Amino acid sequence: MWILWAVTALWAASFSLIGEFLAGNVDGYIAVFIRMLLALLLFLPFWRPNRLNFRKQLLLAGIGAIQIGIMYLLLYHAFIYLSVAEVLLFTIFTPLYVTLIDDVLFQRKHLPASWWFAAVLAVLGAAVIRFNPLSEEFLTGFFLIQGANLCFAAGQVFYKRLPLGDARNQVHVFALFFIGATITTGIAMAAFANFDLRPSSQLQWGILLWLGLVASGVGYLAWNLASKRVNTAQLATMNNMLIPAGLLVNFIFWGNQVDWLRLAIGAVILAGAVYVASLQRRLH
């Protein structure tokens, strides 16, 4: 679990960097492709194709394409229709999707009721923190975000269930994860990007280097490695911990206003969800 907490803190800081320095200044498709390419370059020296059979190589590349490739494309498109607050609000359903996908697709017909309860608690806690009035065009954005949530949830569950060997072996094959994501985002960039909004300053390139090598590269490897060591409910509930963590980072570094009462109540509910999830010790 400590790995999931560490990555949550890492991603919370990275989200603030995107909002403060890249959003509106660097085209989203270009930024995402650069992040995926940098992460791929990080893992290429470690790649040992003979560690996996061809079928598993294709599956791992497909997981990367779904979990972060298509997910990011849907997410960035949703910003056309939604405010940042609404985007955060609509991501709260991810824990339910993680639990549902694991139950339905992997025929886990007897998932403990406590796992479902933990996922619902995680959604409730995040809703308390992030609920805001909705704009008139929220429906299109809502479905785009749900598509992104489903992709991220599905990728996590598929990776958790795909036999890849020990942690060392996963490092040697993880380049495939970013090959899938890089191909997907590269095609989207070629088709939809506004190349007038290329990264131009040293600050923008520095942030992209951090996001690509650390937040995406190290972050997704650590998150997916940890996903194999926790149960489904723990993985589901941790998906929503980014919301209070992101708000705290925004307040500490950028002085953004925080509703402390809602944050406190929501954080307590989220902590309760993680606790309920951890009561079930079996790793499935």
Side-chain angles (χ1 to χ4, degrees), residues 7 27 30 61 67 132 154 200 231 271:
V7 176
D27 181 86
I30 296 175
Q67 184 177 344
N132 288 282
S200 55
N231 65 43

Side-chain angles (χ1 to χ4, degrees), residues 15 31 34 63 72 79-80 123 130 140 174 184 191 204 210 258 264:
F15 184 82
I34 291 174
I63 290 171
Y72 273 128
F79 278 98
I80 298 174
V123 172
R130 288 306 311 166
T140 301
F174 205 67
T184 304
Q204 290 171 348
W210 166 265
V258 174

Side-chain angles (χ1 to χ4, degrees), residues 121-123 125-126 129 237 240-241 244 265-275:
L121 273 182
V123 172
I129 295 171
T237 54
N240 272 355
M241 292 307 297
I265 295 173
V268 168
I269 296 173
L270 283 169
V274 174
Y275 174 75

Side-chain angles (χ1 to χ4, degrees), residues 114-128:
S114 62
W115 289 10
W116 284 101
F117 180 59
V120 172
L121 273 182
V123 172
L124 176 62
V128 169

Side-chain angles (χ1 to χ4, degrees), residues 29 71-84 86-87 90 135 137-138 140-148:
Y29 295 108
M71 181 273 289
Y72 273 128
L73 299 179
L74 293 171
L75 179 66
Y76 273 85
H77 193 62
F79 278 98
I80 298 174
Y81 303 96
L82 300 174
S83 68
V84 173
E86 289 168 343
V87 169
F90 291 154
S135 63
E137 295 185 334
F138 79 94
T140 301
F142 174 83
F143 285 116
L144 286 169
I145 290 297
Q146 298 323 301

